[in-house]
Amino acid sequence: MKTIMIQTYNMLLLLAEILFLILKVVYYICEDVYRLIVPTKKKSVAGEIVLITGAGHGIGKELAIGYALLGATVVCWDINDDTNNETMSDLKKMGKESVYAYRCNVADREEVFRVAEKVKREVGDVTILVNNAGAVFIKAFLNQSPDEITQVENVNLIAHYWTLQAFLPNMIEKNHGHVVALSSVAGLFGIPYGTVYCASKSAVKAFMEAMSEELRELSNGKCSINFTTVYLTFVRTGFVKKNIKTRFPRLMGELLPQKAASSIIDAQRRNYRNKSIPSFWLPMSKIGRHLPDKALECIRDFADYGVYEED
């Protein structure tokens, strides 16, 4: 009899937990819908120390400008010393003195740690880390050289491990910080000639999700470090040398670096965990997961979205 009562009690407790879970899920769905109408207020980044990898050109340079204009101290990292210093020089000409430039190959762990220590001594503790540096070769899989495959994976993915190992411990110690990672729409949908690039960007998504969940569990839900993953469509940075292939260029064409950077900063300041630019790509990817493979192929053929192979 006692055993039956215990089993009944446990069953009722489980049912209560399931009901409470359903209520919480419904609440957060409603909250998400509400946020579509009334976006989260942007937080200030004034006084924060923002480190941007790949700051020598394109999106990285525009991010440096955007954060500097908002009152943040900006630390520029790039493997190209000349373009990186040019970014710093341009910002100083705009009257922004709190900007620093360091040459760093983010794919080299020892160099990342060495330059990180220099940043800590000369500037301070990084509070916003933007992993923007990227590499891409638009080629058929069998045409990719071993060096090209290694370079793309090291810059697009492995570098995130090194920069987080360098800067995350201090964020954890102070329970304050924000990590931003640039993934890609190509990390949500595989495209021809993107076997290496798509894989690297898809892995960034998984890495950021796992990292966020790990800190949430280790801190018993008290972690105040935010993680934002941004999924960009093709951006006019010069990486993709040929025209984008799409049937609907106005809807799926290239973004300007200024527009991309502005949207990334906005996503970070609103504490979005995931943000696609343009915004329709993320919900489309979620819907696409529930469609038959053949249906997805039909949609892809209809949109004719992708890139032409490099020569």
Side-chain angles (χ1 to χ4, degrees):
M1 183 66 179
K2 185 177 180 181
T3 302
I4 295 174
M5 290 179 65
I6 292 172
Q7 290 177 342
T8 303
Y9 173 79
N10 288 336
M11 181 62 69
L12 290 172
L13 186 62
L14 177 60
L15 290 173
E17 287 181 6
I18 292 172
L19 178 60
F20 187 51
L21 173 62
I22 292 171
L23 290 173
K24 286 198 292 185
V25 169
V26 171
Y27 170 80
Y28 287 121
I29 290 172
C30 293
E31 183 182 58
D32 246 22
V33 173
Y34 174 75
R35 288 304 175 195
L36 290 174
I37 304 168
V38 184
T40 307
K41 185 179 178 181
K42 296 180 186 179
K43 64 184 181 183
S44 172
V45 294
E48 302 282 358
I49 298 178
V50 184
L51 189 146
I52 302 160
T53 66
H57 74 287
I59 300 170
K61 182 170 184 175
E62 295 300 329
L63 285 168
I65 293 170
Y67 277 112
L69 291 174
L70 290 169
T73 295
V74 175
V75 179
C76 302
W77 276 17
D78 202 287
I79 195 169
N80 188 319
D81 222 2
D82 293 335
T83 58
N84 203 37
N85 285 326
E86 186 178 316
T87 296
M88 179 176 67
S89 177
D90 288 347
L91 283 171
K92 287 185 180 293
K93 289 175 184 176
M94 297 167 62
K96 301 301 174 183
E97 294 299 323
S98 294
V99 54
Y100 304 83
Y102 298 86
R103 185 199 178 280
C104 185
N105 176 8
V106 293
D108 184 330
R109 185 178 185 274
E110 290 185 5
E111 188 167 329
V112 166
F113 275 74
R114 183 173 65 253
V115 181
E117 286 302 316
K118 193 173 182 182
V119 170
K120 291 173 189 177
R121 290 194 309 269
E122 298 178 358
V123 186
D125 294 319
V126 171
T127 55
I128 300 175
L129 170 64
V130 185
N131 278 316
N132 161 74
V136 60
F137 297 98
I138 307 300
K139 293 184 176 182
F141 172 67
L142 294 179
N143 292 336
Q144 298 268 4
S145 72
D147 286 344
E148 288 171 342
I149 293 171
T150 301
Q151 181 181 341
V152 170
E153 295 299 336
N154 281 344
V155 175
N156 292 359
L157 173 62
I158 304 302
H160 293 235
Y161 288 82
W162 309 151
T163 56
L164 261 73
Q165 283 187 345
F167 297 111
L168 189 59
N170 188 263
M171 293 183 187
I172 293 173
E173 182 182 334
K174 295 182 177 178
N175 198 23
H176 174 75
H178 203 132
V179 179
V180 180
L182 267 63
S183 181
S184 170
V185 168
L188 301 173
F189 303 95
I191 59 172
Y193 314 121
T195 50
V196 181
Y197 182 76
C198 293
S200 69
K201 291 300 185 178
S202 181
V204 167
K205 176 181 183 294
F207 171 68
M208 289 287 281
E209 288 176 355
M211 192 72 257
S212 177
E213 283 301 300
E214 183 174 305
L215 288 190
R216 187 171 71 90
E217 181 169 311
L218 291 174
S219 68
N220 294 316
K222 295 178 181 178
C223 180
S224 295
I225 300 168
N226 295 292
F227 292 82
T228 297
T229 308
V230 180
Y231 308 90
L232 291 166
T233 187
F234 293 109
V235 182
R236 196 175 300 168
T237 59
F239 275 145
V240 181
K241 298 177 178 62
K242 290 192 174 182
N243 292 335
I244 305 302
K245 181 178 71 169
T246 176
R247 186 178 177 182
F248 305 102
R250 282 193 160 187
L251 188 63
M252 299 178 175
E254 289 179 294
L255 289 172
L256 291 174
Q258 297 91 329
K259 170 63 177 175
S262 175
S263 299
I264 293 165
I265 294 171
D266 182 82
Q268 181 267 316
R269 294 181 66 196
R270 295 187 192 275
N271 285 337
Y272 291 151
R273 287 192 180 187
N274 295 280
K275 177 69 176 178
S276 62
I277 305 169
S279 59
F280 62 78
W281 281 112
L282 205 52
M284 276 181 61
S285 74
K286 293 177 180 178
I287 293 170
R289 292 192 196 109
H290 302 289
L291 295 176
D293 292 338
K294 292 293 183 181
L296 276 177
E297 289 175 4
C298 289
I299 293 171
R300 287 171 176 170
D301 291 344
F302 172 76
D304 195 25
Y305 181 70
V307 291
Y308 295 103
E309 185 178 11
E310 293 176 0
D311 294 330

